[in-house]
Amino acid sequence: MSQQFHSPITAVLGPTNTGKTHLAVERMCAHSSGMIGFPLRLLAREVYDRVVALKGENRVALVTGEEKIVPPDARWFLCTAEAMPMDRDFGFVAIDEAQLAINPERGHIFTNRILHARGRDETMILGSESLRPLIRQLLPDAEIITRPRFSTLTYVGPRKLSRLPRRSAIVAFSIEDVYAIAEMLRRQHGGAAIVMGSLSPQTRNAQVKMYQDGEVDFLVATDAIGMGLNLDVSHIAFAALKKFDGRRRRRLTLSEIGQIAGRAGRHQKDGSFGVLSGSISSDELQVEEIERLEDHDFPTLDWLYWREAEPDCSSVDDLIQSLEEGPGERLLQPAPEAIDLAVLKRLAQDQNVRKLVSGSDDVRRLWEAASIPD
């Protein structure tokens, strides 16, 4: 994409609830074709449903790691960032939650989309204000627009589960905690919806609908809720401020807390956040942290994760070597070994697999197999 087009690039930056995604959907629908890459399957599905209502089912595609709906006449594509078809020509292209380029597991994908995903007529990068210095340096021609939050966000301190207000979302960081909290809410309040990435698309969509339709007043979710889901949440309660990130158990960064807490309050409706008091909650927020969260004042990013997006497929060894090469740019850091590369290395050790790979087409096919999500 990046070689084909030199369209205007706009970086729309700001905290949660600023209408960034809504703006991108409006802009996309004004073009003859378009694509938006999202951080979350559930968010791609949510926007897909909205665009289908505007454009018709036969003109809109949904492409994620677990769902693929691509009608022959599809012109508007809603995708997860990983699943964006980068070889197609679109009038408009956007990447949402671009600050995820700092994520150890998926960051290199978002960096690649920031640097290379381009629309023929218009390109938008949506993300946190923390991206501003990097956008200025990596994309000097981009126009940067800052959007203020529509509503205020207020810290209200610790609260017991039984004292949480209606339309609350409780955020936990393990499947066990999610189900334990949901069970307690069912006993005390009569019901709760559950949103986790590990649920099937049908189950997840049904749970969100149950909450949105008001059948239950409480939602229990993992931190995936922070990735742009437009839910009618008035209060966010953190069951913990620490999580296991795949490598170690650590405290959430201020930006991560802000991304999740910011889901409270939609449009003009103010929101609140706090921690869940009791045995599950691990620690409190400090006064200076609360002030920065309420002001959406987060540290700027100094670099992004990077990995070669078009690796050398001459041989399996060449493929692995090019995927492990450094970026040669001080604002980019080599990405930690992601699952797809670990799988590729494991397959490459199997001599039976090696015998099946005789040319570059086979190498590409092997890399595609290793890259299949989950």
Side-chain angles (χ1 to χ4, degrees), residues 69-83:
I69 305 168
V70 185
D73 298 328
R75 296 171 71 172
W76 294 277
F77 279 62
L78 293 315
C79 317
T80 45
E82 287 85 346

Side-chain angles (χ1 to χ4, degrees), residues 173-217:
F173 298 97
S174 74
I175 293 173
E176 293 80 6
D177 283 350
V178 167
Y179 281 117
I181 292 166
E183 182 56 36
M184 285 188 275
L185 282 167
R186 287 191 184 105
R187 286 187 208 145
Q188 295 172 6
H189 297 284
I194 290 175
V195 175
M196 294 188 296
S198 57
L199 298 175
S200 72
Q202 295 81 6
T203 304
R204 216 164 43 227
N205 296 340
Q207 290 285 305
V208 168
K209 187 175 188 303
M210 186 168 72
Y211 176 79
Q212 289 293 81
D213 290 350
E215 292 178 40
V216 294
D217 278 325

Side-chain angles (χ1 to χ4, degrees), residues 64-286:
T64 74
E66 61 184 15
E67 287 184 281
K68 191 169 184 179
I69 305 168
V70 185
D73 298 328
R75 296 171 71 172
W76 294 277
F77 279 62
L78 293 315
C79 317
T80 45
E82 287 85 346
M84 294 170 76
M86 295 286 284
D87 54 346
R88 292 184 69 128
D89 172 3
F90 294 99
F92 173 91
V93 169
I95 179 75
D96 196 17
E97 304 289 1
Q99 74 279 354
L100 280 175
I102 199 70
N103 180 277
E105 182 65 35
R106 307 171 67 200
H108 63 278
I109 299 287
F110 285 82
T111 300
N112 173 260
R113 304 308 186 241
I114 290 168
L115 296 176
H116 302 297
R118 297 291 179 264
R120 186 177 59 252
D121 305 311
E122 184 179 4
T123 300
M124 288 184 93
I125 296 167
L126 317 173
S128 163
E129 186 66 29
S130 60
L131 274 171
R132 178 180 287 269
L134 286 173
I135 295 289
R136 275 211 185 109
Q137 294 177 78
L138 292 171
L139 304 172
D141 295 333
E143 178 189 5
I144 300 178
I145 297 172
T146 300
R147 288 175 72 100
R149 186 176 160 95
F150 291 143
S151 62
T152 59
L153 184 65
T154 308
Y155 179 71
V156 295
R159 288 187 177 178
K160 291 182 179 178
L161 199 64
S162 58
R163 297 297 181 91
L164 290 179
R166 292 172 67 252
R167 311 312 289 169
S168 285
I170 301 91
V171 180
F173 298 97
S174 74
I175 293 173
E176 293 80 6
D177 283 350
V178 167
Y179 281 117
I181 292 166
E183 182 56 36
M184 285 188 275
L185 282 167
R186 287 191 184 105
R187 286 187 208 145
Q188 295 172 6
H189 297 284
I194 290 175
V195 175
M196 294 188 296
S198 57
L199 298 175
S200 72
Q202 295 81 6
T203 304
R204 216 164 43 227
N205 296 340
Q207 290 285 305
V208 168
K209 187 175 188 303
M210 186 168 72
Y211 176 79
Q212 289 293 81
D213 290 350
E215 292 178 40
V216 294
D217 278 325
F218 297 90
L219 179 74
V220 190
T222 56
D223 51 341
I225 195 177
M227 292 298 102
L229 284 182
N230 295 306
L231 298 168
D232 177 24
V233 175
S234 297
H235 179 75
I236 295 281
F238 288 86
L241 294 173
K242 289 179 180 164
K243 74 169 186 177
F244 180 71
D245 64 5
R247 289 174 171 78
R248 61 190 173 90
R249 184 169 166 78
R250 62 169 177 82
R251 196 174 193 268
L252 301 176
T253 66
L254 202 63
S255 297
E256 287 170 333
I257 296 170
Q259 188 75 28
I260 298 165
R263 294 298 147 201
R266 301 307 303 160
H267 306 297
Q268 304 294 328
K269 198 164 81 175
D270 294 341
S272 62
F273 69 101
V275 296
L276 200 61
S277 62
S279 58
I280 299 173
S281 184
S282 54
D283 56 351
E284 254 289 12
L285 289 163
Q286 303 302 309

